[in-house]
């Protein structure tokens, strides 16, 4: 599962980077796929350099430039954390960045 998630996360990031002007529908589809509940339950994917944590960090950093992008990422990630609150401890920096981001 770890290898598959790594390929998925890296491919997602490369695909989004090659997209030119990012469409929110694409970002929403990609983030809901990468943060799918079946993947999100795996503890090994949330360590500091694990694939899902790496992708979340990249998306939050990219979202700092776009309020709409940050909202999509925040909705996807927080929606998953509602069902797995203990995993939220792995994402404290990302959650803080999302909470502090605003107009």
């Amino acid at each position: 599962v770890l290898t598959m998630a790594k390929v998925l996360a890296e491919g997602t990031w490369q695909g989004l980077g090659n997209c030119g002007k990012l469409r929110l529908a694409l970002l929403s589809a990609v983030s809901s796929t990468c943060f799918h509940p079946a993947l999100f339950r795996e503890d090994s994917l949330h360590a500091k350099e694990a694939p899902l944590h790496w992708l979340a960090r990249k998306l939050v950093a990219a979202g700092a430039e776009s309020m709409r992008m940050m909202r999509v990422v925040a909705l996807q990630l927080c929606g998953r954390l509602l069902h797995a609150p203990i995993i939220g401890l792995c994402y404290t920096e990302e959650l803080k960045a999302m909470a502090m981001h605003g107009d």
Side-chain angles (χ1 to χ4, degrees):
V1 173
L2 189 61
T3 304
M4 179 204 55
K6 183 176 178 170
V7 169
L8 178 66
E10 289 174 352
T12 296
W13 185 247
Q14 287 175 354
L16 288 174
N18 293 336
C19 185
K21 187 172 181 179
L22 186 62
R23 302 282 181 225
L24 291 180
L26 175 62
L27 177 63
S28 181
V30 160
S31 60
S32 70
T33 300
C34 291
F35 299 128
H36 191 274
L39 280 175
F40 208 78
R41 282 186 235 121
E42 292 290 326
D43 291 337
S44 63
L45 302 179
H46 303 288
K48 213 44 163 171
E49 291 304 317
L52 292 185
H53 195 174
W54 176 83
L55 182 61
R57 193 170 51 249
K58 291 282 198 182
L59 290 173
V60 167
E65 312 222 350
S66 165
M67 179 62 111
R68 292 175 13 182
M69 183 175 176
M70 183 67 87
R71 286 184 185 140
V72 169
V73 174
L75 284 171
Q76 290 293 335
L77 190 56
C78 290
R80 296 299 176 250
L81 291 175
L82 283 174
H83 299 289
I86 196 72
I87 292 174
L89 295 173
C90 300
Y91 292 94
T92 54
E93 290 301 314
E94 289 76 17
L95 292 170
K96 185 171 73 174
M98 287 186 288
M100 299 304 283
H101 191 272
D103 339 43

